Amino acid sequence: MPSPPSSRVVTLVVNGTPREFLTAPGGSLLSALREKLGLTAAKRGCGQGSCGSCTVLVDGNAVLSCLLAVETIDASSVETLEGVANGTELDEVQQAFLDGFATQCGFCTPGMIMAAEALLSAEPDPGRADVVEAICGNVCRCTGYQPIVDAILTAARQRAAGGQP
Amino acid sequence: MMVSAVHAPESLPAATRLLDHGGRVLGGGTLVMAAVNAGEAPSSELISLHRLGLSGITITEDGVRVGAATPLRDLLGEPGLAFLHPALRGIGSPTLRNTATVGGNLFAGGPYGDLAVCLLALDATVTVAGRSGTHATTVTGVTGTGGIVTSVRFGIPEPGTWRYLKAQRRRLNSASIVSVAAVIGPRADDAAGSTRIALGGVAPSPVRATSAEAVLAGRPLTATTAEAAGRAALADIAPADDAYASAWYRRRVLPVHLRRALLG
């Protein structure tokens, strides 16, 4: 059975665009996004699933991209922070993070926003406890979390009022 | 160890052949990929289960069958398993639960694996596929079987008989200091009317609190018997120091926590 490590072709629909690339055996979705596709919003924090900075959406679900072997999700649809804005126009969550000073060093922000996007897709009118639970896998060492929770609640209200497409 | 291949077999015989050749199972990835990222892959050959059709939940009057590759999230979406939802919501984060699987939880090891603790209390049957076909075992029997866990089966406890309580550092996304799962007897399928108690966080893997069960056997569940059971359970554990609690603290917490769990 032993054979030299061979790369494999994987196809993903990333932020709406089909992308094809080679992955080394056991390569993670995070590595593919950052190193193959040049999408560096998702961050490599712990590599253990403890920090949430690599959070992206796969088929609409928030996942820890550092823990997904990318060859096992061939043909899936992936959304990253790069796909959230509409051109140069920030979406409600991004705008609320900016307005509410929910970003300090910024390392956790991409993961936080993707966890928030997953929550708001499933629950457009979340309570504070829902928001806290949704981001409980995302570590922030700067803000103390309250501005982040506030921003996500603000984004939910604005999206409900503004009619997000 | 570096990974040289991630196999994606489409049949169980093909998967077990790879296992026999030294491959190791890759389920949802939350355990194995964490090891891979740390340069500690369990084998250079990983066997992904994603093409084996091992996910899904079936609930009939005979009980519940859950495929090994079912993400924990799917159990939380199943109203028929509401009694397990508090335990499930205590496992990691919603993000982790989108990929962490039922089968993988059996191998999480302390202080993780709260679902495995529940399944041990429920006397779940674990089906394992190996070289010589499939066989049934228990939650504590899966390690070292050299097979691939394909499903777990268990009965839904009678109303009012299920107990689950977890001591943890934070309300959300925290490993276990002590986890207690129990089915209070008598149960319809258990003529002896025994209480089954399983503990997590207090040993390398989930353990039955047989000493506590013995204290309760044939006696009514009262504050007095529950307290005695809590003390007796100290004989059933082998706690360790870790980042979440010391072994000393776990020993202090267990009797009180078990009493509280039993009395609901």
Side-chain angles (χ1 to χ4, degrees), chain B residues 9-27:
Chain B
E10 296 185 9
S11 73
L12 273 173
T16 55
R17 265 197 306 279
L18 290 161
L19 196 68
D20 286 344
H21 284 92
R24 286 293 174 265
V25 169
L26 169 65

Side-chain angles (χ1 to χ4, degrees), chain A residues 1-6 8 24-29 44 46-50 55-56 61-64 66-74 115 129-130 132-138, chain B residues 3-8 17-18 21-23 26-38 44-46 48 50-51 73 89 92-99 170-173:
Chain A
M1 189 167 80
S3 54
S6 54
R8 187 173 288 180
S28 68
L29 171 60
R44 190 187 310 278
C46 67
Q48 299 292 299
S50 301
T55 303
V56 303
N61 296 311
V63 300
L64 297 157
C66 77
L67 297 184
L68 271 184
V70 70
E71 54 206 291
T72 67
I73 61 161
D74 193 23
D130 300 322
V132 170
E133 184 170 7
I135 63 167
C136 77
N138 296 73
Chain B
V3 176
S4 58
V6 178
H7 301 279
R17 265 197 306 279
L18 290 161
H21 284 92
L26 169 65
T30 57
L31 299 170
V32 172
M33 284 298 287
V36 169
N37 291 340
S44 62
E45 310 265 338
L46 300 180
S48 174
H50 74 283
R51 287 191 182 148
R73 171 198 67 219
R89 288 182 72 181
S93 63
T95 311
L96 186 94
R97 295 194 295 265
N98 281 337
T99 49
R170 295 176 307 212
R171 194 172 58 78
L172 295 166
N173 193 8

Side-chain angles (χ1 to χ4, degrees), chain B residues 208-222:
Chain B
R208 281 275 298 282
T210 50
S211 305
E213 292 172 5
V215 165
L216 295 173
R219 299 168 74 184
L221 183 60
T222 65

Side-chain angles (χ1 to χ4, degrees), chain A residues 13-35:
Chain A
V13 178
V14 181
N15 298 326
T17 305
R19 302 288 297 268
E20 194 176 79
F21 54 90
L22 284 169
T23 180
S28 68
L29 171 60
L30 177 66
S31 294
L33 291 171
R34 292 182 61 85
E35 292 151 25

Side-chain angles (χ1 to χ4, degrees), chain B residues 111-209:
Chain B
Y112 307 104
D114 290 332
L115 178 62
V117 176
C118 294
L119 292 171
L120 182 59
L122 290 165
D123 201 12
T125 300
V126 182
T127 305
V128 178
R131 193 178 346 187
S132 50
T134 62
H135 70 277
T137 184
T138 61
V139 169
T140 49
V142 290
T143 49
T145 54
I148 295 172
V149 173
T150 58
S151 69
V152 297
R153 283 178 287 132
F154 54 90
I156 294 179
E158 295 296 314
T161 64
W162 176 247
R163 301 284 188 278
Y164 180 79
L165 193 61
K166 177 180 179 178
Q168 55 198 331
R169 296 293 296 259
R170 295 176 307 212
R171 194 172 58 78
L172 295 166
N173 193 8
S174 179
S176 171
I177 295 172
V178 176
S179 298
V180 178
V183 181
I184 306 297
R187 296 181 301 167
D189 62 341
D190 187 345
S194 63
T195 290
R196 281 182 65 93
I197 304 168
L199 305 174
V202 289
S205 57
V207 289
R208 281 275 298 282

Side-chain angles (χ1 to χ4, degrees), chain A residues 58-116:
Chain A
V58 171
D59 296 331
N61 296 311
V63 300
L64 297 157
S65 64
C66 77
L67 297 184
L68 271 184
V70 70
E71 54 206 291
T72 67
I73 61 161
D74 193 23
S76 296
S77 174
V78 177
E79 289 166 71
T80 71
L81 183 69
E82 286 92 341
V84 164
N86 181 12
T88 55
E89 193 178 327
L90 300 182
D91 93 334
E92 295 88 343
V93 182
Q94 292 174 305
Q95 192 64 50
F97 269 63
L98 186 61
D99 295 343
F101 303 101
T103 286
Q104 287 186 28
C105 87
F107 196 87
C108 76
T109 307
M112 284 285 183
I113 290 179
M114 296 317 288

